């Protein structure tokens, strides 16, 4: 598990899960982050020193802008709210409060991730999506997250040209961070409350959505010290 209970009200679980992926594509129309993840995982990049270090330096960091953060949050809130089914105010308050981003800031150092790095954000999202899909209840270790981060960094040059500015990298990253923290938080809240039917529902939803990331059943992948590897 990688997030605390950032999502207390489960009434809008479906809305968040369905809406945020579409919004991510709207924010960075030149890139489908889920297809990026798919390419990274299906290729099973070997974690050699050469693979982990691209031949040419690639810019993955960004200088955070409060204006970009506000725009991302408002877009996520507005688009997710359309599917809120009566709990739109709660959803909007959660996303625009900045709580998911603060939770990521708390988690990032222990996982070896930077708070302002697009590649690290994608690695975090991949692990969060996998965790909900497989109902993973263990603790994600720094070594595991570092390995996934290295997988992402090795493949990042293939999309870096489509994220040429700080603003684009921040939009890409913060959309994924919000989704990863919220979905992981909802899963952890359901586990803590003993709501096994809800947990199973979340897993089914994440597995369906995860087919775009993993090229099949996320359960076919294992989180290891070498990254997310197909069994």
């Amino acid at each position: 598990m990688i997030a605390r209970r950032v999502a207390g009200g489960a009434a809008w679980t479906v809305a968040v899960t369905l809406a945020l992926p579409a919004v991510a594509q709207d924010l960075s129309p030149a890139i489908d982050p889920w297809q990026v993840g798919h390419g990274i995982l299906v290729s099973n990049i070997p974690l050699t020193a050469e693979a982990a270090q691209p031949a040419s330096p690639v810019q993955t960091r960004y200088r955070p802008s409060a204006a970009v953060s506000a725009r991302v949050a408002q877009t996520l809130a507005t688009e997710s709210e359309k599917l809120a089914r009566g709990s739109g105010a709660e959803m909007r308050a959660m996303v625009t409060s900045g709580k998911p981003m603060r939770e990521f800031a708390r988690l990032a150092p222990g996982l070896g991730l930077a708070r302002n790095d697009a590649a690290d954000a994608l690695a975090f999202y991949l692990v969060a999506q996998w965790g909900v899909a497989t109902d993973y209840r263990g603790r994600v270790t720094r070594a595991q997250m570092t390995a996934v981060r290295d997988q992402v960094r090795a493949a990042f040059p293939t999309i870096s040209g489509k994220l040429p500015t700080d603003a684009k990298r921040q939009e890409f990253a913060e959309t994924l961070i919000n989704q990863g923290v919220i979905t992981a938080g909802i899963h952890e809240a359901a586990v803590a409350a003993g709501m096994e039917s809800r947990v199973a529902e979340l897993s089914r939803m994440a597995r369906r959505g995860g087919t775009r990331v993993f090229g099949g059943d996320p359960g076919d992948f294992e989180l290891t010290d070498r990254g997310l590897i197909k069994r």
Side-chain angles (χ1 to χ4, degrees), residues 2 22 45 48 58 78 84 119 157 187-188 196 201 210 214 226:
I2 57 176
I45 298 166
T48 63
V58 172
T78 298
H187 173 257
E188 291 195 17
E196 294 301 324
E201 177 190 7
F214 294 86
R226 294 175 53 236

Side-chain angles (χ1 to χ4, degrees), residues 62-114:
Y62 54 87
R63 180 177 298 176
S65 160
V68 172
S69 292
R71 183 167 69 247
V72 170
Q74 288 296 332
T75 301
L76 291 172
T78 298
E79 294 302 314
S80 301
E81 198 173 35
K82 294 176 182 178
L83 299 175
R85 300 179 184 180
S87 56
E90 181 184 4
M91 184 185 307
R92 175 172 288 280
M94 168 63 67
V95 177
T96 59
S97 71
K99 190 174 181 181
M101 293 303 301
R102 290 194 297 274
E103 178 66 2
F104 178 75
R106 184 190 70 81
L107 292 166
L111 294 171
L113 302 177

Side-chain angles (χ1 to χ4, degrees), residues 6-229:
V6 298
W12 49 279
T13 298
V14 174
V16 172
T17 305
L18 292 177
L20 294 189
V23 176
Q25 294 178 66
D26 291 340
L27 287 171
S28 295
I31 298 179
D32 180 342
W34 289 265
Q35 285 302 104
V36 172
H38 175 200
I40 290 168
L41 294 172
V42 170
S43 64
N44 280 331
I45 298 166
L47 295 180
T48 63
E50 293 76 18
Q53 297 294 328
S56 302
V58 172
Q59 182 60 267
T60 60
R61 295 286 180 100
Y62 54 87
R63 180 177 298 176
S65 160
V68 172
S69 292
R71 183 167 69 247
V72 170
Q74 288 296 332
T75 301
L76 291 172
T78 298
E79 294 302 314
S80 301
E81 198 173 35
K82 294 176 182 178
L83 299 175
R85 300 179 184 180
S87 56
E90 181 184 4
M91 184 185 307
R92 175 172 288 280
M94 168 63 67
V95 177
T96 59
S97 71
K99 190 174 181 181
M101 293 303 301
R102 290 194 297 274
E103 178 66 2
F104 178 75
R106 184 190 70 81
L107 292 166
L111 294 171
L113 302 177
R115 302 182 194 181
N116 60 327
D117 189 291
D120 287 16
L122 178 55
F124 176 81
Y125 171 79
L126 291 173
V127 172
Q129 177 81 358
W130 173 86
V132 177
T134 60
D135 187 21
Y136 183 69
R137 303 188 186 190
R139 180 172 293 277
V140 175
T141 69
R142 185 178 182 126
Q144 291 166 339
M145 184 64 79
T146 296
V148 177
R149 183 202 63 192
D150 288 346
Q151 285 178 300
V152 171
R153 285 185 178 278
F156 212 80
T158 62
I159 65 162
S160 60
K162 297 178 180 178
L163 296 172
T165 65
D166 283 344
K168 278 293 183 184
R169 289 189 290 275
Q170 185 177 355
E171 288 177 346
F172 179 82
E174 292 195 3
T175 301
L176 293 174
I177 290 168
N178 272 283
Q179 166 130 352
V181 171
I182 290 172
T183 53
I186 291 171
H187 173 257
E188 291 195 17
V191 169
M195 303 172 70
E196 294 301 324
S197 62
R198 177 76 41 74
V199 171
E201 177 190 7
L202 292 169
S203 177
R204 286 192 297 270
M205 291 169 60
R207 281 182 176 234
R208 287 197 299 270
T211 59
R212 295 189 63 194
V213 179
F214 294 86
D217 189 341
D220 291 341
F221 284 80
E222 182 179 4
L223 180 62
T224 74
D225 287 353
R226 294 175 53 236
L228 281 162
I229 305 298

